[in-house]
Amino acid sequence: MSNHTGTLLRIIGIFMGLISFWFVISLVFTLLIVLTTNVQFNITTALSVFGILLLIRIFYPRFIFKD
Amino acid sequence: MSLGVAGAGLPQIERLFIKRVLVPSVRILCTWNIALFMIKREVKIIEELIKGFDEETLQKRVEIDRAFAIEDHSRDYSINMTLEHLRIAGTAVMAVIETLSNEKEFPKEITIEAVKPKENGKDEHKKFFDFMKIYKEYIKNHKKNYSKMTKKHPWFVNFNNFDWACFMYMHTFIHRRQIQAIIKELK
């Protein structure tokens, strides 16, 4: 495998790791929501919280596509 | 043995990929502390990679194949030249972070040519690790605000202080891969 391809694969790996990190953070939030409200825990709830977290990160602290 | 012009840049597709995909993704997924953790890891990897090499080998220039995010001009570096580049660029990045963190304008223009290695000195690896100790301590004690003031990277977009800290990690990672390519050619 070339160094070029290896670097790209490692970048994908790093991002997968970071996405997993944020997913774990969102799971903690989901558990807090489940424990404090009547919402049932399921994968849709967990993914929704993860989606909201990413959406917040897109706009805060700075819009990610700002030049 | 130079392979291109200093500051000529990256292939268009690579530059656009970094600008439009990597930079926004890093902005979503990274934080000050993640960037610090990751750069610490990179420094450890570099330490392990160059352990056991004598000074002469560290200064030996070799030509490597195209590497991701490395411009052609930088494809014939030695390990010490790569570390010298990381130290020079890192020193500049630290100054930019400090200025932007205080919401002040960074007056100097940042150019790729200015951060090219100049000496290929025999003790460059020591200078690099000494600098990285200072940098890590600086980021550890930084107030970790997100500045409104920005400074443009010559190849990409306007970065605020946080973007520059994340860039510092990605830049070290890219050049760690370059060091790995150099070591492969040296063997």
Side-chain angles (χ1 to χ4, degrees):
Chain A
M1 190 198 307
S2 72
N3 183 280
H4 191 281
T5 312
T7 304
L8 280 172
L9 289 175
R10 278 168 179 79
I11 289 172
I12 294 168
I14 290 164
F15 282 114
M16 295 304 284
L18 289 172
I19 289 167
S20 306
F21 167 80
W22 284 104
F23 185 66
V24 170
I25 299 281
S26 70
L27 272 184
V28 174
F29 281 125
T30 311
L31 282 174
L32 283 173
I33 292 166
V34 167
L35 291 172
T36 53
T37 65
N38 290 328
V39 176
Q40 289 271 313
F41 181 85
N42 55 45
I43 193 68
T44 316
T45 314
L47 287 175
S48 302
V49 173
F50 181 54
I52 291 166
L53 190 68
L54 288 188
L55 206 63
I56 292 168
R57 293 286 304 172
I58 287 172
F59 293 99
Y60 183 83
R62 189 171 181 238
F63 181 51
I64 58 160
F65 293 108
K66 196 167 183 179
D67 220 357
Chain B
M1 189 166 75
S2 196
L3 300 160
V5 182
L10 304 174
Q12 185 74 345
I13 189 158
E14 223 163 82
R15 197 179 63 82
L16 281 175
F17 173 71
I18 295 170
K19 192 175 165 175
R20 297 287 169 221
V21 179
L22 284 191
V23 170
S25 305
V26 166
R27 280 173 172 170
I28 296 179
L29 299 170
C30 234
T31 65
W32 280 97
N33 287 322
I34 290 174
L36 176 62
F37 171 80
M38 301 290 258
I39 203 163
K40 279 182 182 171
R41 182 175 167 271
E42 287 304 320
V43 174
K44 271 186 201 159
I45 294 173
I46 294 172
E47 250 175 332
E48 282 300 313
L49 281 173
I50 69 167
K51 200 190 280 176
F53 283 107
D54 57 44
E55 284 177 350
E56 200 182 315
T57 312
L58 289 172
Q59 287 176 286
K60 193 174 176 188
R61 294 177 75 157
V62 289
E63 190 178 318
I64 59 166
D65 290 337
R66 269 248 350 112
F68 181 75
I70 302 284
E71 71 171 354
D72 279 343
H73 180 267
S74 309
R75 284 204 287 121
D76 63 346
Y77 281 5
S78 65
I79 292 172
N80 272 5
M81 286 171 80
T82 311
L83 296 177
E84 187 184 349
H85 164 66
L86 283 173
R87 179 178 58 80
I88 296 169
T91 307
V93 168
M94 205 164 94
V96 172
I97 292 174
E98 179 62 19
T99 310
L100 298 181
S101 297
N102 294 321
E103 296 296 353
K104 286 181 182 157
E105 193 180 332
F106 190 78
K108 288 182 194 165
E109 195 192 339
I110 299 171
T111 63
I112 299 297
E113 296 90 322
V115 294
K116 292 284 177 186
K118 289 150 188 85
E119 292 173 7
N120 194 15
K122 63 179 178 185
D123 59 347
E124 194 49 56
H125 52 294
K126 289 172 193 153
K127 286 184 188 170
F128 168 73
F129 292 119
D130 286 345
F131 165 72
M132 285 313 298
K133 268 185 206 160
I134 296 167
Y135 178 80
K136 287 185 286 186
E137 206 55 34
Y138 172 73
I139 296 296
K140 194 179 155 191
N141 298 318
H142 190 273
K143 55 187 168 183
K144 298 179 178 62
N145 62 332
Y146 293 83
S147 71
K148 286 192 173 65
M149 193 63 80
T150 59
K151 182 74 189 174
K152 193 182 186 310
H153 183 286
W155 290 345
F156 310 122
V157 294
N158 283 304
F159 287 168
N160 69 359
N161 59 348
F162 163 72
D163 293 330
W164 278 108
C166 296
F167 166 81
M168 184 73 177
Y169 156 62
M170 287 306 289
H171 182 247
T172 310
F173 162 74
I174 292 296
H175 286 287
R176 182 259 289 182
R177 291 290 298 154
Q178 181 184 10
I179 290 170
Q180 287 179 311
I182 294 170
I183 291 170
K184 196 177 164 193
E185 290 300 322
L186 284 169
K187 283 178 179 170

